[in-house]
Amino acid sequence: MSDSAVSPARSGGRSASLVLDLFGLYVRRFDGWIAVSGLVSLMADLGVGEGPTRSTLSRMVRRGLLERRPRGSVKGYGVAAGAEARMQRADRRIMGPTSPADLDDGWTVITATIPEGQRRKRDRLREQLRWLGCGSLGNAVWIVPRRSTDDMWATLRELDLADVVTAFAGDHLGAGELSDLVASAWDLGGLEEQYRSFLAGCDGVLASWPAAPAGAEVRAFTDHTDVVHAWRKFPYLDPGLPLELLPDPWVGALATGRFAQIRRLLEAPALAYVGSVIEASSEGHSSRT
């Protein structure tokens, strides 16, 4: 799993984010190493050809996300030492248990001061704050549940953006309803629409898996990976706002449960398949026969 510091936009970097998913979901459970031929084989299962896969691997090495690790005559890859900590943090956030924030915990209010001549830096900061689940109050003022503050600072430091940000701990004291402020700061309607699209995809997967049939490991791998890949944005776009401030019922809670259900169903056979690919490719030949 990649975090906001390493996640490319899906429209331009699906191959890279899939490679990171492969390492986060599977490879790091098998000694953290996989042969090039194994990666190419798994990416082919996910609909990405050998050429784009190899180009993606080269770019990720240059970006310091992966490193080449040959084992004897077999060429392979592992997560670069400098990227391991942030990937672990992303794993905890994306795959860990989720729950709404406690309304009594309060908020972090963020302000940013960036000169007009540094518009690219300002746009980059705005993009990252949105990706971290912050809501916009306008005029370079942002808000997020207080529990998200540590992750926010860690990411902004990695991106050399922390120096332009000031943050305050606060509680809502103003006139008007806090739920109205939340509705204006976050696009809850857009988020709800994305959750419903995710749920529709999950329901399609579950309808075809009344039980995990023997010998269906490849399909379990592709379905499991595709569902996680579709889910990975939500823990960033949705900071886990207090339920009291959300539409009732909140579709995000239903999506969270469905995601956990699919993982319970498909994770084990998916891992078994990837393990067989890693074993076969480590011996210098492809798992495809």
Side-chain angles (χ1 to χ4, degrees):
M1 303 292 96
S2 63
D3 66 5
S4 58
V6 298
S7 293
R10 188 170 180 185
S11 60
R14 182 172 182 273
S15 296
S17 57
L18 280 174
V19 168
L20 290 171
D21 286 341
L22 291 181
F23 275 91
L25 287 170
Y26 311 111
V27 176
R28 287 160 68 198
R29 302 199 192 186
F30 295 97
D31 195 30
W33 180 91
I34 184 171
V36 175
S37 61
L39 275 171
V40 168
S41 178
L42 293 172
M43 291 290 281
D45 289 328
L46 298 171
V48 181
E50 180 174 354
T53 295
R54 290 183 179 273
S55 296
T56 296
L57 292 172
S58 296
R59 288 196 303 271
M60 294 175 75
V61 169
R62 291 195 297 270
R63 292 173 59 195
L65 300 176
L66 299 179
E67 60 185 19
R68 295 182 177 89
R69 293 180 188 170
R71 290 189 173 181
S73 62
V74 180
K75 297 179 179 179
Y77 287 86
V79 176
E84 182 65 33
R86 50 183 164 167
M87 287 190 184
Q88 288 178 358
R89 188 173 69 248
D91 287 348
R92 289 193 297 270
R93 184 166 185 177
I94 294 170
M95 309 309 297
T98 57
S99 60
D102 189 330
L103 185 59
D104 293 334
D105 287 346
W107 305 86
T108 295
V109 179
I110 303 126
T111 65
T113 304
I114 302 179
E116 180 65 26
Q118 299 182 35
R119 180 172 297 179
R120 290 184 63 183
K121 189 171 187 178
R122 183 176 60 191
D123 291 345
R124 187 163 167 246
L125 175 64
R126 183 184 299 116
E127 177 185 355
Q128 288 299 323
L129 288 175
R130 285 194 182 279
W131 184 243
L132 289 167
C134 299
S136 174
L137 298 178
N139 297 320
V141 179
W142 300 78
I143 187 171
V144 72
R146 191 175 300 175
R147 69 176 184 181
S148 300
T149 306
D150 289 345
D151 281 346
M152 179 195 74
W153 279 120
T155 299
L156 294 180
R157 282 193 294 268
E158 288 174 0
L159 297 171
D160 294 325
L161 292 170
D163 61 321
V164 299
V165 168
T166 302
F168 303 88
D171 299 304
H172 181 248
L173 302 176
E177 295 293 332
L178 180 55
S179 58
D180 293 336
L181 183 147
V182 166
S184 66
W186 281 272
D187 181 10
L188 297 181
L191 182 59
E192 187 170 14
E193 183 178 342
Q194 292 187 69
Y195 271 132
R196 293 196 183 281
S197 177
F198 173 78
L199 277 169
C202 289
D203 289 345
V205 169
L206 288 171
S208 64
W209 283 90
E217 287 87 358
V218 179
R219 186 173 147 214
F221 161 70
T222 57
D223 282 353
H224 181 256
T225 306
D226 285 343
V227 167
V228 173
H229 189 75
W231 172 261
R232 69 203 303 274
K233 64 186 175 184
F234 288 112
Y236 293 99
L237 299 179
D238 182 351
L241 296 166
L243 283 179
E244 298 95 324
L245 306 177
L246 295 170
D248 184 19
W250 175 235
V251 69
L254 181 60
T256 299
R258 196 78 88 250
F259 175 64
Q261 182 181 1
I262 287 180
R263 292 213 70 211
R264 288 193 299 269
L265 177 67
L266 300 181
E267 182 181 25
L271 276 167
Y273 174 67
V274 174
S276 69
V277 171
I278 291 175
E279 182 179 3
S281 61
S282 68
E283 297 170 357
H285 56 85
S286 171
S287 64
R288 296 177 178 274
T289 58

